Amino acid sequence: MPTTAPAFSDATASDSALRRLLFGLPGVDAVGLEARAASLGTRSIKTTAKAYAIDLAISMIDLTTLEGADTPGKVRALAAKAVNPDPTDRTTPRTAAVCVYPDMAATAAAALAGSGVKVASVATAFPAGRAALDVKLADVRDAVAAGADEIDMVIDRGAFLSGRFLKVYEEILAVKAECGAARLKVIFETGELSTYDNIRRASWIGMLAGADFIKTSTGKVATNATPANTLLMLEAVRDFRAQTGTQIGVKPAGGIRTTKDAVKFLVLVNETAGEDWLDPHWFRFGASSLLNDLLMQRQKLSTGRYSGPDYVTVD
């Protein structure tokens, strides 16, 4: 089973030791955090830089469908769009992944075979995470066996909010062990964690337990990714690498719908974590509608005309 970073092995030896570490983290200045996020969001981007940012953002998208009405046909159509987002312009980058429920992972894997686009699958009783651990682990095994390259798990927010931090940590460890070669994204559902201090603590639990990515949200609650909570998580991965040498990715998800939004988040990445994270291997957008706006803005830059939503496919 994976173990925590050697520099922090003692901190995860017991519930009390982990609690000491988490409550010893610096408190978050909420006013300062939100002010910095807002300030970075006002940065202007010139035309050539905007073109680069749009292509980078497209390449970072986990194109997502997580609905009860999902069908194999819908998943295959989404996979085709991920591989070839704009049929009129073959220079358009592919997206990073297609994200689906475990029962659709095999369909996505078949549709994406040989394309380089990853299959991501939510698991662990997404989105609520209200299931026994053996059920959650079976969910992960099924997704990996069906061809998932990446697993997006949800933490037990009830355990976290009641202070059972070691339970959260050990559950992530167990899920990580079931992932095998698949990369693990750990979703905190930041909108349910109530405070920025809790988001910082959850980030450290996820990183210590071996997450390959830490992720803001499921996209299924009222408050999802925001510049402020993403900035806080970027600070966490930056500080974690400085102390352990291990780089962890970040994935904001839910509510990011426009090119303007995406560019703001890329500025946050560059100014907070640094250029090393400006890569689909280390930063993703969890989105279903963002891609269309990026494509329309990309067409406008290349043709000088705004095409409008009728000129891109409906997901």
Side-chain angles (χ1 to χ4, degrees), residues 23 160-161 165 193-203:
F23 282 86
F160 180 92
L161 292 169
F165 301 126
L193 297 188
S194 302
T195 70
Y196 289 129
D197 285 324
N198 277 344
I199 295 171
R200 175 170 283 172
R201 291 169 189 145
S203 296

Side-chain angles (χ1 to χ4, degrees), residues 11 25 36 39 61 64 76 86 90 94 104 121-122 131 136 153 164 169 200 205-206 213 218 242:
L25 295 170
R36 176 162 173 75
S39 173
I61 289 177
T64 302
R76 283 191 288 268
D86 184 353
R90 296 295 178 142
R94 297 172 177 175
M104 290 292 170
S121 177
V122 297
K136 294 180 181 182
M153 72 165 285
R164 293 174 288 160
Y169 168 81
R200 175 170 283 172
I205 291 174
F213 270 79
T218 63

Side-chain angles (χ1 to χ4, degrees), residues 124-139:
T124 64
F126 177 97
R130 310 307 305 183
L133 180 58
D134 59 344
V135 173
K136 294 180 181 182
L137 297 180
D139 204 22

Side-chain angles (χ1 to χ4, degrees), residues 246-258:
T246 299
Q247 187 163 336
I248 309 293
V250 175
K251 179 180 173 180
I256 305 171
R257 297 183 175 90
T258 69

